[in-house]
Amino acid sequence: MAVRGAWEQLGEWDARAAALARGAGALRLLLGEALAQVDSRGAHHALGFSSLGAYVAERCQRGGTWAREA
């Protein structure tokens, strides 16, 4: 009986992990789209940043590679 309960719990954690990963992917896509708009419009300059990388470092606290991958 304990083994069955452990397997059921494992299935629940697996489903939760998969759902969170899908959500994180969707969020990353939306963030990438927002950063693309900031970049294409030069909005980072209007906000006082010399580059999109500087904007991402300050506002998102991430590196330039992370922003390009988004």
Side-chain angles (χ1 to χ4, degrees):
M1 191 64 117
V3 172
R4 182 171 181 232
W7 278 108
E8 288 172 0
Q9 189 176 28
L10 180 60
E12 291 170 13
W13 282 105
D14 176 54
R16 186 177 291 173
L20 288 169
R22 285 189 304 272
L27 181 59
R28 185 81 184 264
L29 177 61
L30 290 172
L31 183 56
E33 290 171 348
L35 290 174
Q37 289 298 316
V38 168
D39 188 36
S40 70
R41 297 170 193 272
H44 52 285
H45 294 296
L47 294 169
F49 295 95
S50 61
S51 66
L52 181 64
Y55 171 83
V56 168
E58 179 69 25
R59 294 288 199 233
C60 302
Q61 299 184 356
R62 303 288 181 163
T65 301
W66 178 87
R68 283 188 297 279
E69 289 174 355

